[in-house]
Amino acid sequence: MSGVDGATAVVTGAGSGIGRALAESLSERGARPVLADVDGAALNGVATRLDASAVVTDVSVPEEVERLARTAGDVDVVCLNAGVVGADLGAPWEVSARDWERVFAVNVGGVVNGLRAFVPRLLASGRTAHVLITGSLAGVATFPGGGAYGPSKHAVVAVAEHAAMALSGTPVGVSVVCPALVSTGMSAEGVDAAHVAERALDTIEDGTFAVVDEQWRDTVVAGARRLASGRHPAPPAPTDPTR
Ligand SMILES: NC(=O)c1ccc[n+]([C@@H]2O[C@H](COP(=O)([O-])OP(=O)(O)OC[C@H]3O[C@@H](n4cnc5c(N)ncnc54)[C@H](O)[C@@H]3O)[C@@H](O)[C@H]2O)c1
């Protein structure tokens, strides 16, 4: 689709951080946002400020995402953004079964439930549309620690690639943003969420599939080379911008 002006755009996890920034940028670009979040108070605060529709939704529950799709009606853009970090941030065996389940249910289940609810409707409408997925740098590079989060984001990126290949040749585009740290409810440090949201929305127009910050690209490539050539993994590191 060309631009989002006049588009109806769903955003999950819109009550805070990157989702809230996506909602604000969409509004500024002339779209009609339909906002979803499990936190009703945060969601309603953003929706009231932006004069947007709000549907309290837990993205890990397929029926709730289906209800969101029904309520939203004819949609042009779907931002599957909601995500969580687990409570246990150690090595795989240090993470509780409950935490593995919850992080995968929200991060991976949220994206899959979104695709299942929205893509058949988008295809049936025949209109040009776009699905924008919030992945993470932790989904294209493997960091030590972090519990279930990184593995869940690897699955999110794989689902995004899978969906993009399956939708190739249709009017439904797919892209995935893979930011490093962003200053949000999830992280005290990092870049401004508004910057990430702007770059993410640009993919709808510029045809980029994945957004990975330039300083992390070499280490992502190096990690893939290590794996393909049988070498042991090493922690990823950014390129030194002064070199
Ligand atoms: N902050 C970072 O450093 C960073 C980096 C890369 C990727 N991300 C990704 O960005 C996305 C947004 O996270 P953020 O950083 O803005 O965090 P955030 O905590 O500020 O916002 C996440 C929002 O998602 C909502 N949410 C949580 N569980 C939900 C559920 N089950 N159903 C619906 N909504 C739910 C929360 O209520 C919250 O409003 C996530 O997918 C996250 O993994 C974040």
Side-chain angles (χ1 to χ4, degrees), residues 57-242:
T57 309
D58 182 337
V59 297
S60 70
V61 180
E63 296 76 14
E64 293 196 20
V65 184
E66 177 61 26
R67 185 171 55 92
L68 169 66
R70 261 199 326 270
T71 311
D74 289 339
V75 164
D76 307 284
V77 175
V78 183
C79 302
L80 302 175
N81 163 79
V84 291
V85 179
D88 306 328
L89 297 178
W93 58 91
E94 294 168 337
V95 176
S96 68
R98 191 186 143 83
D99 220 46
W100 276 106
E101 246 171 58
R102 183 68 192 149
V103 171
F104 268 71
V106 176
N107 294 2
V108 187
V111 171
V112 171
N113 292 336
L115 293 173
R116 292 180 69 248
F118 285 96
V119 170
R121 288 177 162 91
L122 297 178
L123 289 172
S125 80
R127 289 198 316 276
T128 301
H130 195 92
V131 181
L132 171 63
I133 294 171
T134 307
S136 172
L137 178 65
V140 288
T142 303
F143 291 85
Y149 182 77
S152 78
K153 287 295 180 174
H154 275 265
V156 167
V157 171
V159 169
E161 290 183 294
H162 193 174
M165 287 189 272
L167 289 168
S168 163
T170 77
V172 182
V174 180
S175 56
V176 58
V177 279
C178 301
L181 288 179
V182 187
S183 171
T184 66
M186 192 179 278
S187 165
E189 329 161 12
V191 299
D192 193 346
H195 169 75
V196 175
E198 291 293 336
R199 182 66 195 98
L201 292 179
D202 286 346
T203 65
I204 298 172
E205 291 170 63
D206 70 17
T208 306
F209 171 65
V211 180
V212 176
D213 291 347
E214 197 170 350
Q215 59 172 341
W216 289 98
R217 286 179 199 162
D218 286 350
T219 202
V220 170
V221 173
R225 276 192 210 285
R226 276 180 177 278
L227 190 63
S229 61
R231 281 178 294 150
H232 282 260
T239 310
D240 180 351
T242 59

